[in-house]
Amino acid sequence: MALTVSRTATGREFKVKDIAQADFGRLEIELAEVEMPGLMACRAEFGPTQPLKGARITGSLHMTIQTAVLIETLTALDHAAAAIARDSAAVFAWKGETLEEYWWCTEKALDWGPGGGPDLIVDDGGDATLLIHEGVKAEEEYERSGKLPNPNETENAEFRIVLSIIKEGLLIDPKRYTRMKDRLVGVSEETTTGVKRLYQMQANGTLLFPAINVNDSVTKRKFDNLYGCRHSLPDGLMRATDVMIAGKIAVVCGYGDVGKGCAAALKAAGARVIVTEIDPICALQALMEGIPVLTLEDMVAEADIFVTTTGNKDIIMVSHMKQMKNNAIVCNIGHFDNEIDMLGLETYPGIKRITIKPQTDRWIFPETNRGIIVLAEGRLMNLGCATGHPSFVMSCSFTNQVIAQLELWKERGSGKYEKKVYVLPKHLDEKVASLHLGKLGAKLTKLTPDQAAYISVPVEGPYKPPHYRY
Amino acid sequence: MALTVSRTATGREFKVKDIAQADFGRLEIELAEVEMPGLMACRAEFGPTQPLKGARITGSLHMTIQTAVLIETLTALDHAAAAIARDSAAVFAWKGETLEEYWWCTEKALDWGPGGGPDLIVDDGGDATLLIHEGVKAEEEYERSGKLPNPNETENAEFRIVLSIIKEGLLIDPKRYTRMKDRLVGVSEETTTGVKRLYQMQANGTLLFPAINVNDSVTKRKFDNLYGCRHSLPDGLMRATDVMIAGKIAVVCGYGDVGKGCAAALKAAGARVIVTEIDPICALQALMEGIPVLTLEDMVAEADIFVTTTGNKDIIMVSHMKQMKNNAIVCNIGHFDNEIDMLGLETYPGIKRITIKPQTDRWIFPETNRGIIVLAEGRLMNLGCATGHPSFVMSCSFTNQVIAQLELWKERGSGKYEKKVYVLPKHLDEKVASLHLGKLGAKLTKLTPDQAAYISVPVEGPYKPPHYRY
Amino acid sequence: MALTVSRTATGREFKVKDIAQADFGRLEIELAEVEMPGLMACRAEFGPTQPLKGARITGSLHMTIQTAVLIETLTALDHAAAAIARDSAAVFAWKGETLEEYWWCTEKALDWGPGGGPDLIVDDGGDATLLIHEGVKAEEEYERSGKLPNPNETENAEFRIVLSIIKEGLLIDPKRYTRMKDRLVGVSEETTTGVKRLYQMQANGTLLFPAINVNDSVTKRKFDNLYGCRHSLPDGLMRATDVMIAGKIAVVCGYGDVGKGCAAALKAAGARVIVTEIDPICALQALMEGIPVLTLEDMVAEADIFVTTTGNKDIIMVSHMKQMKNNAIVCNIGHFDNEIDMLGLETYPGIKRITIKPQTDRWIFPETNRGIIVLAEGRLMNLGCATGHPSFVMSCSFTNQVIAQLELWKERGSGKYEKKVYVLPKHLDEKVASLHLGKLGAKLTKLTPDQAAYISVPVEGPYKPPHYRY
Amino acid sequence: MALTVSRTATGREFKVKDIAQADFGRLEIELAEVEMPGLMACRAEFGPTQPLKGARITGSLHMTIQTAVLIETLTALDHAAAAIARDSAAVFAWKGETLEEYWWCTEKALDWGPGGGPDLIVDDGGDATLLIHEGVKAEEEYERSGKLPNPNETENAEFRIVLSIIKEGLLIDPKRYTRMKDRLVGVSEETTTGVKRLYQMQANGTLLFPAINVNDSVTKRKFDNLYGCRHSLPDGLMRATDVMIAGKIAVVCGYGDVGKGCAAALKAAGARVIVTEIDPICALQALMEGIPVLTLEDMVAEADIFVTTTGNKDIIMVSHMKQMKNNAIVCNIGHFDNEIDMLGLETYPGIKRITIKPQTDRWIFPETNRGIIVLAEGRLMNLGCATGHPSFVMSCSFTNQVIAQLELWKERGSGKYEKKVYVLPKHLDEKVASLHLGKLGAKLTKLTPDQAAYISVPVEGPYKPPHYRY
């Protein structure tokens, strides 16, 4: 297995040859294992038959303790890997990588030597997938016209780096990415952003290999968004500010799964929560939980805590922030740092920034001398100010990845998966859930054949139609 | 408009020529109107253009106050009807109908005189749809072979009645149902049971006209199941038994939307809730809310309150009931009375039934002399022991019906809808939601064009992909 | 035992010779017994030793099913009574008593024939106690001056009746109440109103016999107020109006125990709750639960539901009511009907009252044609629109009464209780609690002697200092 | 003002001449001020009249940022102090003090030079009070018999240090503590432990000066215990272990205010909570919230998280801990580290301790190789693993201290306070609450004189009788 790391505001990242040398100790990994029952159950259930034997897997993931448990799980399903233990997985990542270094790592993780690239990709954000697609595009253009990609043609700083890497590679080996896509069995992708890009490529007819969207598994989305953020929003708030949440007025922008988790946590802690929404259905759901739905403008001068959860941009603008109360807390747990107008804030004339502690800044407006407290520089506050999702949440996400990898590998010759995007079949989503029940002491009821027939489902599931909403 | 009533354990049903003569007064209807903002908003928005002008609509619905508001809404969208006010809607229904009378009413409601049947059907349980399909089948057989349907061939007592009606009709007019289906533009159906039958007919290729499934609108399902039952389960328990819920142990069988609503209500009232589930995903959701998932057998001797919410049969058997504590309460809010083994209970040797009050019976087992309290004879306890869902919930369901009727009528000549089952398009589901926000004082945020482009949705919605789970 | 009934807006009251003839059947009483574990435990624990043997007990209580269980419990602790079963308790009460009849009943219940009055009084509102005190006062005046009480001297209609009864009695037997108080061992009183009067008499030096205040037992107050109203407020709202609580804005006036129970129930049902308070400590408690504290004026035009819980008067005035939204619901669960300005409403010029159903009226203001819905004519809505507290709550209250009666009777000669008001000693309050644990499946931990010494409490309790707040 | 610091497992403590030199910066103090509205309101309200002018105040407190705000508040009420700003408060404390150093600091803080000791003491744990009482006792014995205290006579290591300090002082000045108590106006004490000692001294007749118990103010206890721990228990758990709380089984030992806060927080986070209790009233309260009451033995092998909140000792013994699941978390938020049998754990034969990170240890039992995770070495986990209570909670506690100091100083010559323990009068408790309402946007309703008379309270409060339980 070859691993690379997505860059991230925080997170513990490292550069090592193998996981055993990582700076989180074996003890931390073992503690995480107890909280990742899905991955451990995969090892127990699939380990004996070595279903990933011989597969070359490249991962492009945040390098965390939970990722280490994922890596060890994948290697445990590959006989050779299991035999030579933990040094089979090379990791290309380190703390504080520059963008150039990050993409160098991504390229390295895709390089499996003479035989081409990986058989499978575990993607988280879609960067490995992007690099291959752009590489193939450039190689085809080069073959056709002899033209090399021109990094200076793009204004996007990061894309310029991508093109530079591809250009350099082309001069050495003009078929590298082409061979890579020829070998590749498929990718499984776990982020909303990555999945969106895959669907766009599918729509454009440019997708080069099958992709499984694990982001939309129930066991992934509800955990990563609803339960995960219900846990990590107050965690981040408390670590960053030590502020009493009870009694405060909190505005949660967006009432999707992330917003629902945040609002539930804040209410439970004794805050008064107000939600902003664009979608009337989600708005009605908030109202049914006793949460008012108002606009940011209605509450901007009154609230104590602001949380963006929308997945959209330009949610809290600097014009809002200057109206806020002194020491209002502003944070984002939705998506990129553009939910909060950080650029507007940074360039506001006369603004003064005082770092209270890392990831906790007070920005003081010159006209009013009032300061607002911005967490994690507008990036994901649960990553920046706390430690991200707990291991149990990541166990759900990563078990989806493992199950998807197994499915892709098992069906590699069958033609079941075309160059399209697939959600994980519901019975596998249910499988992921069932692998997590034992740890929590749950006992399922079994359908009788008669009952199963009555509701027209197989005794062993799947139990719900695809459109079921949970 | 012609109306007929589905039979029901309770509910106030009546036989009248027009709504104005119904035994619920104008006052009650006016009070319900305030709580049915979706229907009132339909009148305001669509009334002026009379979009249902000239449409013949037959409804097959429980006749309640809320149904009266629906009827008046539909007639308000039909110019003629509005002019001659309330006597335009004939209602065929009365309290305590027999099965024979019920089907007689259904037939009558479909009979619009010489011109054939209705243009549109508002169905709730699929009985009107069933009658037409069976009628057409019999007419075709009769034309082909001269054979009349034989009511004695079926063991199902109710189906025997259906066949008898069709048989009698055939002798008078052998093309009646055929003409009816030829005229019919479509049906909108709001129950799980009715929708299931529609999908089966679609799969078998026997569906005779377009059908809109309003049951799977978010604004229908979440309200009818989750929010509705969260309201009406404790209502039914308190009216039937006056029992203190706090401190009790309650087993909720099933953790779908109905189970989620019931569990939330019981927890909030201070009960200890245990859930039983067959589906590992729903089980995991229960665990994330701090609710243990066990089997009925684990809890049967310990719990005080048992609620079935599964939509399946044979959930609580008489063998379970005899193990229960004295005065354990057993009730069903899921589906038919076969969730609880009423037959087993009634035929248990030596069992003694004492009616505490209507819809509340104590069944005493001879061996132990312990009694259990069964609500609503195993039928839906929120209908039998309370007054069903509140008007606001029904407003959501019925607004879906109105919107679906409008859509079918508008597209009647366009060929947009084939002989298939369609869910209501998401922008109409969102429309239903938005019609309910004003009453609750909510203010939506508006997307800028730039934001809409960023997340690739139209400014006016729909805002979510079809598979979004809310 | 002799029983009389306090008048009440509703409640099932009756006039019978003995409980067996009451119009609630044996079955209902047996069902209530299962939910009144404290009283049943008293029978089991104290029955064998007949600790109330020979005691004459007069009760002045609402006559409900739960009161029947109390009566049977008290008689079970009196040997003679137990022997001759249920006809030993005479009940003077019937449905729809007039005020005159009510006081006639009270007098009758105090009349035990030649030997004078009762040994013990179980009081609920203090009327029996009042009659004796007023009687003694009149007899003393009559002895001193020969003057009879003059009913016309008072403007209070009810007090006029009391004086009339005393006056008539005086002419027959001028020492009747004096002999009664001489015999009387003591009274136990369970209402805030009754207790307040007792403390005033203690302060004035006019209290004629010992009194135990069971109202301030934790097991009485928290149940009667907090847990009882959390149960019965939504019960009353749903029975009276069938309104969807979710999504509504509810104003709870007062955040004492009753207000806390109401606010918790409304929040749990999905309402947005706002509290009004005069007491900054209670206000701060509301804020810590995420509940805004505003004034009625702030919310009067916006809220859907108004609940008074204050124990004070003039909370919602007619001037407020005319500002409310159409169909706003106004109800009282605190105290007398003067929390809501019923007089102002009834006498408002041009007001129109329409009774939707008994205990649910719509009052329409002429200027706006908007109607508000007032429950139970401003009296306690959980009594008027539902069935009052559940049996389990009453079990806590009544077990306090039984324990207090036992204590008074046991100490009748010891001089332990002077002519003062006593709260029930904490170990007896804890006793009441422990008698209710078994039914709910609870298992207590036992202190070791070493642990008991460490925190300076007896191993067997009481475990808390008197000022402990729970 | 002279300050000393109680030793504590953690907390940022320091040795400085004045607060301005402390290692928490001015910024942190200013941020805390915003969250301590009670103290800031005291400055605004009382600052102008300088009511503490000339008072010598010694504090014996944990030195935290919040304490800094308290100190600055007290100095702001003393004219001289305000004039010379922040260098008027000497602080004797540093991080990692030994016991000897701690008591040296305490002695220093009481030393105001020739004129004797302080006029007032702000005590937190009662150590300053203890030192004076022991000092006076020793001086009296010395005067009577010439005998010096003998530190070797006690087995308690800490008390030996106290006696040593007194002995050394005696040789220099045999009247030092006697003069100190002669001057002292009184002490205000905020901990349960300190208050208990004061009541014991009162009972024994040995209390040397008036004491105000601010621990039992509602605004202190509910905040410090209920609301404070509801906030800081999950904070500590998340910082120490990053564990997902949802889905876990948590045992909370004790359901007093601390236990209620912990149980509420854990339930809200999605854990299944079980409570252990000795007190039947508290047990019944847990049941009414849907929380089972069982014994530790029932749950020891099943639960994931154990929290002690009892204020008693020997709650979780090593014999329990060895039965726990692998990686069960054990922590204490109640009182001293003897709630958990740390000694038994440390001396268990063959036990292995691995420090995961500071304040988070894994203890592995040799027989089973299972490890349990103990937080903060059994001491208060919210202090050890998080940052203690949020500033808002401390604002409530400290405002009680300020109000008590003002009361003692104002009444210093009046004889109002004898050598007894007093709770803060209710109107002052209400005052503390009202000083915190503005920050949270609350608006109180005002009683009319008529309403006040009706419920027999002054218009301005206090509004509740002393025994009211909130």
Side-chain angles (χ1 to χ4, degrees), chain C residues 254-330:
Chain C
Y255 198 67
D257 274 332
V258 173
K260 286 176 173 80
C262 292
L266 291 165
K267 271 182 75 175
R272 274 169 282 165
V273 179
I274 289 93
V275 151
T276 73
E277 250 302 340
I278 58 159
D279 181 328
I281 297 179
C282 294
L284 200 50
Q285 290 184 294
L287 293 163
M288 288 300 108
E289 301 304 329
I291 303 173
V293 179
L294 296 169
T295 66
L296 183 55
E297 287 69 25
D298 293 319
M299 298 303 305
V300 73
E302 224 183 297
D304 303 287
I305 301 171
F306 296 85
V307 186
T308 58
T309 76
T310 68
N312 206 333
K313 66 175 185 176
D314 297 343
I315 304 305
I316 300 181
M317 305 308 290
V318 73
S319 58
H320 295 121
M321 291 186 265
K322 61 186 285 201
Q323 299 174 61
M324 291 178 185
K325 291 203 296 195
N326 188 29
N327 283 1
I329 297 168
V330 177

Side-chain angles (χ1 to χ4, degrees), chain C residues 196 216 218 222-223 227 230 256-257 260 276-285 287-289 293-295 298 311-315 335-336 338 392 429-430 433-434 437 440 442-445 447 450-451 454-455 463-464 467-470, chain D residues 196 216 218 222-223 227 230 256-257 260 276-285 287-289 293-295 298 311-315 335-336 338 392 429-430 433-434 437 440 442-445 447 450-451 454-455 463-464 467-470:
Chain C
K196 201 169 139 192
D216 286 309
V218 184
K222 291 276 177 192
F223 277 82
Y227 306 124
R230 190 178 67 178
D257 274 332
K260 286 176 173 80
T276 73
E277 250 302 340
I278 58 159
D279 181 328
I281 297 179
C282 294
L284 200 50
Q285 290 184 294
L287 293 163
M288 288 300 108
E289 301 304 329
V293 179
L294 296 169
T295 66
D298 293 319
N312 206 333
K313 66 175 185 176
D314 297 343
I315 304 305
H335 162 77
F336 296 132
N338 60 359
F392 194 89
D429 201 353
E430 293 180 358
S434 67
L437 296 179
L440 303 180
K443 288 163 69 178
L444 284 184
T445 300
L447 276 185
D450 195 33
Q451 286 178 317
Y454 185 74
I455 58 167
Y463 300 107
K464 299 287 189 302
H467 62 267
Y468 189 76
R469 290 199 175 88
Y470 299 92
Chain D
K196 201 169 139 190
D216 287 307
V218 183
K222 292 276 178 193
F223 276 82
Y227 306 123
R230 189 178 69 179
D257 274 332
K260 285 176 173 77
T276 73
E277 248 302 339
I278 57 159
D279 181 327
I281 297 178
C282 294
L284 200 50
Q285 290 184 295
L287 292 163
M288 287 302 107
E289 301 304 330
V293 179
L294 295 169
T295 64
D298 293 320
N312 205 330
K313 66 175 185 177
D314 297 344
I315 303 307
H335 163 77
F336 296 132
N338 60 357
F392 194 88
D429 201 353
E430 293 179 356
S434 68
L437 296 179
L440 304 180
K443 287 163 67 178
L444 283 184
T445 300
L447 276 185
D450 196 32
Q451 286 177 315
Y454 185 74
I455 57 166
Y463 301 106
K464 299 289 189 299
H467 62 267
Y468 189 76
R469 289 200 175 86
Y470 297 89

Side-chain angles (χ1 to χ4, degrees), chain A residues 70-258:
Chain A
L70 168 62
I71 295 171
E72 295 196 0
T73 301
L74 289 169
T75 54
L77 308 188
D78 170 3
H79 184 260
I84 57 163
R86 285 167 199 132
D87 53 351
S88 61
V91 176
F92 303 93
W94 56 91
K95 226 175 172 129
E97 286 168 351
T98 62
L99 271 182
E100 279 85 358
E101 289 167 337
Y102 167 70
W103 283 99
W104 177 89
C105 289
T106 303
E107 191 197 23
K108 274 277 159 285
L110 287 170
D111 182 1
W112 284 75
D119 298 309
L120 297 167
I121 294 176
V122 178
D123 217 350
D124 172 10
D127 284 345
T129 299
L130 174 81
L131 185 54
I132 298 176
H133 277 79
E134 292 297 329
V136 168
K137 198 162 77 179
E139 289 174 0
E140 289 174 350
E141 176 67 29
Y142 183 67
E143 186 171 25
R144 194 166 50 246
S145 67
K147 261 178 71 181
L148 287 169
N150 180 358
N152 295 325
E153 265 170 9
T154 176
E155 290 197 8
N156 181 310
E158 183 164 6
F159 194 52
R160 200 174 304 138
I161 296 168
V162 172
L163 292 182
S164 298
I165 284 181
I166 291 170
K167 182 181 171 190
E168 284 166 38
L170 249 182
L171 299 171
I172 298 165
D173 177 356
K175 286 290 178 191
R176 185 176 175 204
Y177 289 104
T178 304
R179 279 197 315 277
M180 213 178 271
K181 71 113 179 154
D182 289 343
R183 175 177 191 115
L184 201 65
V185 169
V187 63
S188 57
E189 166 62 49
E190 73 175 86
T191 68
T192 304
T193 306
V195 160
K196 201 170 141 191
R197 227 189 262 160
L198 287 169
Y199 280 113
Q200 284 169 343
M201 290 193 289
Q202 174 181 273
N204 301 340
T206 56
L207 186 63
L208 298 172
F209 36 77
I212 292 188
N213 159 8
V214 298
N215 182 57
D216 286 307
S217 295
V218 184
T219 48
K220 198 278 176 179
R221 280 196 82 116
K222 291 277 177 190
F223 276 81
D224 219 33
N225 297 338
L226 180 65
Y227 306 124
C229 293
R230 189 178 69 179
H231 179 99
S232 60
L233 175 81
D235 191 11
L237 276 175
M238 292 192 285
R239 292 197 209 209
T241 68
D242 288 315
V243 82
M244 180 83 161
I245 296 171
K248 295 299 190 300
I249 300 177
V251 173
V252 176
C253 299
Y255 198 66
D257 274 331
V258 173

Side-chain angles (χ1 to χ4, degrees), chain B residues 260-440:
Chain B
K260 285 176 173 78
C262 292
L266 291 166
K267 272 181 74 174
R272 274 170 281 165
V273 178
I274 288 93
V275 150
T276 71
E277 249 303 339
I278 57 157
D279 181 329
I281 297 179
C282 294
L284 200 51
Q285 289 184 297
L287 292 163
M288 288 302 107
E289 300 305 329
I291 303 175
V293 179
L294 295 170
T295 65
L296 184 55
E297 287 69 25
D298 293 322
M299 298 304 304
V300 72
E302 225 183 296
D304 301 289
I305 299 171
F306 296 85
V307 186
T308 58
T309 76
T310 68
N312 205 332
K313 66 175 185 176
D314 298 343
I315 305 305
I316 300 182
M317 305 307 291
V318 72
S319 58
H320 295 123
M321 291 187 263
K322 62 187 282 200
Q323 299 174 61
M324 290 177 183
K325 291 202 295 194
N326 189 30
N327 283 0
I329 297 168
V330 178
C331 61
N332 168 35
I333 194 169
H335 163 76
F336 295 133
D337 58 357
N338 60 358
E339 298 216 15
I340 299 172
D341 179 17
M342 291 309 294
L343 185 66
L345 190 65
E346 283 154 16
T347 59
Y348 190 89
I351 195 94
K352 215 165 76 188
R353 169 183 178 170
I354 298 171
T355 297
I356 298 170
K357 59 183 171 186
Q359 308 281 339
T360 309
D361 295 299
R362 190 159 183 262
W363 296 81
I364 302 162
F365 286 92
E367 298 87 350
T368 59
N369 215 25
R370 288 198 304 258
I372 60 162
I373 295 170
V374 177
L375 305 190
E377 306 186 32
R379 288 192 284 267
L380 295 178
M381 62 80 80
N382 56 341
L383 287 174
C385 300
T387 61
H389 286 325
S391 296
F392 193 88
V393 168
M394 295 317 296
S395 178
C396 291
S397 299
F398 285 167
T399 306
N400 272 288
Q401 287 277 22
V402 172
I403 297 284
Q405 294 281 312
L406 287 172
E407 175 76 2
L408 284 168
W409 191 238
K410 191 182 78 179
E411 302 291 345
R412 64 186 177 279
S414 76
K416 178 172 177 187
Y417 294 104
E418 304 171 42
K419 291 173 186 173
K420 289 188 181 166
V421 192
Y422 298 85
V423 294
L424 203 63
K426 186 168 291 288
H427 76 275
L428 295 180
D429 200 354
E430 293 180 358
K431 173 87 185 172
V432 174
S434 68
L435 294 178
H436 287 86
L437 296 179
K439 159 81 179 170
L440 304 180

Side-chain angles (χ1 to χ4, degrees), chain D residues 102-352:
Chain D
Y102 167 71
W103 284 99
W104 177 88
C105 288
T106 304
E107 192 196 22
K108 276 279 160 282
L110 287 169
D111 183 1
W112 285 76
D119 297 310
L120 296 166
I121 294 177
V122 178
D123 218 351
D124 172 8
D127 284 344
T129 300
L130 174 83
L131 185 57
I132 299 176
H133 277 79
E134 291 298 328
V136 169
K137 197 162 80 178
E139 288 175 0
E140 286 174 353
E141 176 67 28
Y142 182 70
E143 185 170 30
R144 194 165 55 245
S145 68
K147 261 178 70 179
L148 286 168
N150 180 357
N152 295 323
E153 262 170 10
T154 176
E155 289 196 7
N156 180 311
E158 181 163 8
F159 195 52
R160 201 174 303 140
I161 297 169
V162 173
L163 292 183
S164 297
I165 285 181
I166 293 172
K167 183 180 169 189
E168 283 166 37
L170 248 182
L171 299 171
I172 298 165
D173 177 353
K175 286 291 181 190
R176 184 177 175 207
Y177 290 104
T178 304
R179 280 197 314 277
M180 212 177 273
K181 70 111 181 162
D182 289 343
R183 177 178 187 115
L184 201 64
V185 169
V187 64
S188 56
E189 165 64 46
E190 72 174 87
T191 68
T192 305
T193 306
V195 160
K196 201 169 139 190
R197 225 188 261 160
L198 288 169
Y199 280 112
Q200 283 169 344
M201 291 193 288
Q202 175 182 271
N204 300 339
T206 56
L207 186 63
L208 298 172
F209 37 76
I212 291 187
N213 161 8
V214 296
N215 182 57
D216 287 307
S217 295
V218 183
T219 47
K220 198 278 176 179
R221 280 197 81 118
K222 292 276 178 193
F223 276 82
D224 220 32
N225 296 337
L226 181 65
Y227 306 123
C229 294
R230 189 178 69 179
H231 178 99
S232 59
L233 175 81
D235 191 10
L237 276 175
M238 292 191 286
R239 292 198 209 209
T241 71
D242 287 314
V243 83
M244 178 85 161
I245 295 172
K248 297 297 191 302
I249 301 176
V251 174
V252 176
C253 300
Y255 198 67
D257 274 332
V258 174
K260 285 176 173 77
C262 292
L266 290 165
K267 272 182 75 174
R272 276 170 280 165
V273 178
I274 289 92
V275 150
T276 73
E277 248 302 339
I278 57 159
D279 181 327
I281 297 178
C282 294
L284 200 50
Q285 290 184 295
L287 292 163
M288 287 302 107
E289 301 304 330
I291 303 174
V293 179
L294 295 169
T295 64
L296 183 55
E297 287 70 26
D298 293 320
M299 297 304 304
V300 72
E302 227 183 294
D304 301 289
I305 300 171
F306 297 84
V307 185
T308 59
T309 75
T310 68
N312 205 330
K313 66 175 185 177
D314 297 344
I315 303 307
I316 299 182
M317 305 306 290
V318 72
S319 58
H320 294 123
M321 291 187 264
K322 61 188 283 199
Q323 298 174 62
M324 290 176 182
K325 290 203 295 196
N326 188 31
N327 283 0
I329 297 168
V330 177
C331 63
N332 167 38
I333 194 169
H335 163 77
F336 296 132
D337 58 357
N338 60 357
E339 297 216 15
I340 299 171
D341 178 18
M342 291 308 294
L343 185 65
L345 190 64
E346 284 154 14
T347 59
Y348 190 88
I351 196 96
K352 215 164 78 190

Side-chain angles (χ1 to χ4, degrees), chain B residues 208-228:
Chain B
L208 297 172
F209 35 77
I212 291 188
N213 160 9
V214 298
N215 181 58
D216 286 307
S217 294
V218 184
T219 49
K220 198 279 177 178
R221 282 197 81 117
K222 292 278 178 193
F223 276 82
D224 219 34
N225 297 338
L226 181 66
Y227 306 125

